[in-house]
Amino acid sequence: MDKQTVVVLFGGRSSEHSISSATAGGVLAAIDRERYAVIPVGITREGAFVLEQDDPAKFALDAAHMPEVIDNDTRVHWPEPGGERMLRVAAPDGSVVDLGEVDVVLPILHGTHGEDGTIQGYFDTLEVPYAGGGVLDSALCMDKHFMKVALQAEGIPVAPGVTVRRRAWEADSSALRAQIAQLGLPLFVKPARAGSSVGVSKVTDAAELDAALQIAFDEDEKVLVEAGIVGREIEVAILESPTGVRASLPGEIVLTSRGFYDFEGKYLGGEGVDVVCPADLSDEQIAAVQRIGLAAFAAVDGRGLARVDVFLTDDGDIIVNELNTMPGFTPISMFPKCWIASGLSYGELISELIEAGLNR
């Protein structure tokens, strides 16, 4: 049987460029080569599409030297709508080479210009099939404010919070301060449209609020200030396959000495946090987390995949923190760990994502 050609797309213009590149290292190493022909395409920090080396080791996760896509002066030319689905690359000398017809793109891009619906809209315009989230669910979940609006509209519990826009804060902060004071302490201050805990601060004293807002405003003009929820941090992986949508066994983020699950803890193996999968939950708790994960995925018209993060309180309430439509696939990431614990290998997980994209 002829292999189907998969473009693995990574890098990008966001602050999560290196995490996307590290994810690519894992995907390139695990993708089923007997089933798929792979073309690695990187996006530089400046936004150029370049033909990359098919070398997982080049993009290994290394805290001392994070991987990245460097401009090698090649330029990838995507197929045009209505024509042949040939991917081409222009070499530095100006010559153009056919790379083959593209069957599907696997975009493993994190953050803006990748996880926010923009690249999905681009491929929709080009009529190029792709795996993962679509335009709407990607855009909704990238903006935590509108994600919460969508979840609340479906009756799904979320953390109480206040949305703060920079212009309103700078014009007159008094009314916003009063609303935030009603949330109590601690607070979490986070950019509305950034991922991987970039720009996120935990506020345990009201005097820390202004500095935390400034850190978040450096990433986004719109910021969420949310009440801290006391509860276990549980995460469940959602996967769309050709046979339907299903939820994994949940995992748990266990904080030992770290204040919250920040960038270093997520990706660099920082001390003070344990990623446990499967979580130590009763059958009833597992079923409840899976139900709310699937309901949250449906509420945002989810496609492809998502990781749904929730708090499980001592009273048994489940409160959704957020959805991530392109969760990390690095060796210590929760999403693949949850599926491995559920009986699906890393390679099989990638194949299911690709097949769901092809099935559309």
Side-chain angles (χ1 to χ4, degrees), residues 192-205:
R193 294 163 293 201
S196 296
S197 299
V198 175
V200 177
S201 300
K202 183 178 181 180
V203 172
T204 57
D205 186 299

Side-chain angles (χ1 to χ4, degrees), residues 24 72 100 103 196 229 253 271 305 315 319 359:
N72 56 22
D103 291 300
S196 296
I229 303 296
I253 304 301
E271 296 180 356
L305 74 163
D315 295 331
I319 299 169
N359 218 40

Side-chain angles (χ1 to χ4, degrees), residues 8 22-33 56 106 108 329 346 350 354:
V8 176
T23 298
V27 170
L28 291 174
I31 195 168
D32 187 345
R33 300 295 180 138
L106 178 59
I108 47 175
F329 279 76
Y346 193 7
I350 295 166
I354 292 169

Side-chain angles (χ1 to χ4, degrees), residues 2-356:
D2 291 339
K3 294 181 181 180
Q4 291 173 309
T5 299
V6 179
V7 174
V8 176
L9 182 66
F10 58 95
R13 294 169 57 192
S14 82
S15 57
E16 299 174 78
H17 175 102
S18 290
I19 295 304
S20 173
S21 300
T23 298
V27 170
L28 291 174
I31 195 168
D32 187 345
R33 300 295 180 138
E34 294 185 0
R35 192 170 179 179
Y36 305 113
V38 177
I39 302 175
V41 174
I43 304 177
T44 68
R45 295 183 187 273
E46 293 72 37
F49 291 86
V50 301
L51 182 65
E52 262 294 358
Q53 292 176 257
D54 190 0
D55 179 8
K58 180 180 178 182
F59 303 104
L61 181 61
D62 180 358
H65 181 71
M66 294 292 284
E68 62 180 319
V69 177
I70 303 297
D71 195 342
N72 56 22
D73 293 324
T74 63
R75 289 296 181 268
V76 170
H77 296 170
W78 294 99
E80 295 183 3
E84 59 182 1
R85 293 164 64 178
M86 184 67 68
L87 190 72
R88 296 181 170 89
V89 61
D93 64 4
S95 60
V96 177
V97 176
D98 290 347
L99 298 176
E101 292 191 358
V102 176
D103 291 300
V104 66
V105 176
L106 178 59
I108 47 175
L109 298 162
H110 302 299
T112 52
H113 309 293
E115 197 177 349
D116 56 1
T118 52
I119 199 72
Q120 290 79 11
Y122 178 63
F123 288 129
D124 281 343
T125 302
L126 296 182
E127 298 178 350
V128 173
Y130 57 93
V135 173
L136 178 62
D137 57 325
S138 298
L140 269 178
C141 294
M142 188 66 195
D143 189 313
K144 297 178 180 67
H145 165 79
F146 285 111
M147 176 198 68
K148 292 180 72 168
V149 170
L151 294 175
Q152 287 175 306
E154 295 297 317
I156 296 172
V158 298
V162 176
T163 298
V164 180
R165 292 169 173 82
R166 183 200 291 269
R167 183 176 297 178
W169 181 260
E170 292 176 347
D172 183 6
S173 66
S174 56
L176 288 165
R177 288 183 189 277
Q179 293 178 48
I180 292 169
Q182 294 178 9
L183 298 174
L185 292 169
L187 298 168
F188 284 92
V189 180
K190 59 183 75 171
R193 294 163 293 201
S196 296
S197 299
V198 175
V200 177
S201 300
K202 183 178 181 180
V203 172
T204 57
D205 186 299
E208 301 167 350
L209 177 62
D210 287 57
L213 280 166
Q214 187 54 57
I215 291 170
F217 281 139
D218 287 344
E219 297 294 329
D220 193 358
E221 297 289 320
K222 184 165 68 172
V223 169
L224 262 64
V225 181
E226 294 181 332
I229 303 296
V230 178
R232 297 169 65 182
E233 296 187 45
I234 306 296
E235 301 186 350
V236 62
I238 308 298
L239 181 65
E240 175 196 18
S241 68
T243 58
V245 180
R246 65 191 192 276
S248 72
L249 289 172
E252 182 172 9
I253 304 301
V254 180
L255 300 176
T256 52
S257 61
R258 195 170 290 271
F260 67 100
Y261 194 32
D262 60 6
F263 185 92
E264 184 181 359
K266 282 184 180 180
Y267 296 113
L268 305 182
E271 296 180 356
V273 59
D274 294 327
V275 178
V276 179
C277 196
D280 184 13
L281 299 170
S282 68
D283 290 345
E284 292 79 8
Q285 289 172 322
I286 291 171
V289 169
Q290 289 175 327
R291 278 197 303 272
I292 203 164
L294 291 167
F297 190 71
V300 298
D301 281 353
R303 284 174 44 174
L305 74 163
R307 193 192 67 237
V308 182
D309 303 344
V310 307
F311 296 106
L312 176 61
T313 71
D314 290 342
D315 295 331
D317 296 327
I318 299 174
I319 299 169
V320 174
N321 182 27
E322 65 180 50
L323 286 83
N324 188 318
T325 58
M326 182 43 70
F329 279 76
T330 64
I332 61 172
S333 295
M334 181 66 88
F335 189 88
K337 281 191 172 185
C338 283
W339 282 115
I340 291 169
S342 304
L344 195 66
S345 74
Y346 193 7
E348 289 168 339
L349 172 60
I350 295 166
S351 295
E352 290 218 21
L353 281 172
I354 292 169
E355 292 304 314

